[in-house]
Amino acid sequence: MPSLLRDAVAALEAAYPPALAQDWDAVGLVCGDPDEPVTRVHVAVDPTAAVVEDAIADGADLLVTHHPLLLRGVHGVPADQPKGAVVHRLVRAGVGLFAAHTNADAAEPGVSDALADALGVVVEAPLDVSSKIGRIGRLPAPESFEAFVGRVAAGLPTTAWGVRGAGDPARTIERVAVSGGAGDSMLHLARAAGVDAYVTADLRHHPADEHLQLPGAPALVDVAHWASEHPWCAQAADVLRRALPDLAVTVSTRRTDPWTLGGHPAAPPIGVLK
């Protein structure tokens, strides 16, 4: 007997329990008939129109994403609106959509474990003990901050945004904190943990600047939001493969980071206006 959509949902919810999701979040099955058979699954970070077309072209019966399609309250899904068009396309093609968002952030293993693995960081503890979001770990051997920023760039998919480091290039990095997705709300936790560097996404100017002025503050590595969460896709794919070996599971290679161009002129000396 082929697996059913409800079987795939059960496997994903066992790995990423819905109860772990934040109150404001919208996780779980967005569309699809739980009693329909599933033979192929496509896993991605974002349920964009292009990703949906990839899933359909791949012959998928289910699209699994990290980011929800309908996060904020909506009163309709008309086909002439972007989100409505995605819903209509999925339903017409017979493709289900499932999202694991903050529940995947808080699960063990979860999004930040996948990020740590991609960077070669051995996880030791959660960064935020109360929510289990973010991870603290250690590199196999100490290295300079300049080398560590290169490690991050090599371990994550390439984006126009690239990877930015804030700190002394010669600083020794051994203990590291990571948090997939937007993480400047946990800068204080990274400082309290006493790590040498903190890797996350969407760092803003003022919080980063104020953080770096504090004595002993960890160096910062800012990456694109999508890139920080893409390693989770392989983790979720493995969850499905282990639970339902009859499924064919593919991981999206489409870059859904919204930034498409980046200018990278030679950097002037610090403090000198070019």
Side-chain angles (χ1 to χ4, degrees):
M1 292 289 291
S3 296
L4 302 179
L5 177 56
R6 68 171 65 255
D7 300 323
V9 168
L12 290 163
E13 290 189 339
Y16 312 116
L20 296 179
Q22 299 291 310
D23 292 342
W24 50 263
D25 206 359
V27 303
L29 191 63
V30 178
C31 64
D33 183 344
D35 291 321
E36 286 291 316
V38 171
T39 59
R40 297 187 68 86
V41 182
H42 197 70
V43 186
V45 175
D46 298 293
T48 64
V51 167
V52 169
E53 293 304 322
D54 290 342
I56 293 170
D58 189 45
D61 310 293
L62 173 62
L63 173 60
V64 174
T65 63
H66 178 50
H67 291 147
L69 175 66
L70 306 173
L71 181 57
R72 294 175 177 82
V74 297
H75 302 288
V77 285
D80 62 349
Q81 296 296 316
K83 291 185 183 295
V86 167
V87 172
H88 281 261
R89 184 70 174 117
L90 287 165
V91 171
R92 287 170 177 162
V95 180
L97 175 61
F98 179 92
H101 192 210
T102 53
N103 50 325
D105 290 329
E108 296 184 54
V111 171
S112 290
D113 296 283
L115 173 58
D117 287 346
L119 305 183
V121 174
V122 179
V123 171
E124 297 176 341
L127 177 58
D128 185 344
V129 177
S130 63
S131 68
K132 304 292 179 67
I133 292 176
R135 295 292 182 266
I136 297 169
R138 190 176 297 272
L139 294 175
E143 63 190 28
S144 70
F145 181 53
E146 182 176 16
F148 180 68
V149 172
R151 169 190 291 268
V152 175
L156 297 180
T158 303
T159 63
W161 179 283
V163 172
R164 305 187 296 182
D168 181 353
R171 179 176 181 169
T172 299
I173 306 298
E174 184 173 11
R175 295 187 67 242
V176 176
V178 303
S179 184
D184 63 12
S185 65
M186 293 193 289
L187 285 168
H188 67 292
L189 296 176
R191 289 195 299 270
V195 297
D196 304 307
Y198 177 40
V199 182
T200 191
D202 298 345
L203 287 175
R204 294 170 296 160
H205 175 90
H206 293 295
D209 182 54
E210 291 165 6
H211 161 90
L212 291 167
Q213 293 181 45
L214 296 173
L220 299 178
V221 182
D222 185 32
V223 304
H225 191 119
W226 168 82
S228 75
E229 295 175 331
H230 188 266
W232 169 82
C233 295
Q235 182 192 97
D238 286 342
V239 165
L240 289 166
R241 292 186 187 111
R242 287 194 301 267
L244 303 168
D246 60 313
L247 291 184
V249 187
T250 58
V251 171
S252 173
T253 58
R254 180 175 293 276
R255 185 179 72 184
T256 53
D257 183 67
W259 309 107
T260 57
L261 292 174
H264 302 284
I270 297 298
V272 177
L273 185 63
K274 183 177 179 179

Short mmCIF file of all heavy atoms in Angstrom, two decimals, residues 43 94 99 156 188 212 216:
data_model
loop_
_atom_site.label_atom_id
_atom_site.label_comp_id
_atom_site.label_asym_id
_atom_site.label_seq_id
_atom_site.Cartn_x
_atom_site.Cartn_y
_atom_site.Cartn_z
N VAL A 43 10.90 19.32 -0.87
CA VAL A 43 11.15 20.09 0.35
C VAL A 43 11.87 21.39 0.01
O VAL A 43 12.87 21.37 -0.73
CB VAL A 43 11.97 19.28 1.36
CG1 VAL A 43 12.08 20.04 2.68
CG2 VAL A 43 11.35 17.90 1.59
N GLY A 94 -3.22 18.93 -7.51
CA GLY A 94 -3.30 17.81 -6.58
C GLY A 94 -2.08 17.67 -5.68
O GLY A 94 -1.70 16.56 -5.29
N ALA A 99 3.68 22.98 6.29
CA ALA A 99 4.70 23.91 6.79
C ALA A 99 5.11 23.54 8.21
O ALA A 99 4.26 23.27 9.06
CB ALA A 99 4.18 25.35 6.76
N LEU A 156 27.35 27.24 3.38
CA LEU A 156 25.97 27.60 3.05
C LEU A 156 25.84 27.89 1.56
O LEU A 156 26.81 28.25 0.89
CB LEU A 156 25.55 28.83 3.85
CG LEU A 156 25.53 28.66 5.38
CD1 LEU A 156 25.09 29.95 6.04
CD2 LEU A 156 24.63 27.50 5.78
N HIS A 188 21.69 39.04 23.20
CA HIS A 188 22.02 39.04 24.63
C HIS A 188 22.31 37.62 25.12
O HIS A 188 23.14 37.43 26.02
CB HIS A 188 20.89 39.66 25.44
CG HIS A 188 19.61 38.88 25.44
ND1 HIS A 188 18.83 38.71 24.31
CD2 HIS A 188 18.97 38.19 26.43
CE1 HIS A 188 17.77 37.98 24.61
NE2 HIS A 188 17.84 37.65 25.88
N LEU A 212 28.36 45.02 19.62
CA LEU A 212 29.81 44.94 19.44
C LEU A 212 30.57 45.89 20.37
O LEU A 212 31.76 45.70 20.61
CB LEU A 212 30.17 45.24 17.99
CG LEU A 212 29.73 44.17 16.98
CD1 LEU A 212 29.83 44.70 15.56
CD2 LEU A 212 30.56 42.90 17.15
N GLY A 216 33.84 41.98 25.54
CA GLY A 216 33.78 40.53 25.37
C GLY A 216 32.67 40.04 24.48
O GLY A 216 32.43 38.82 24.41
#
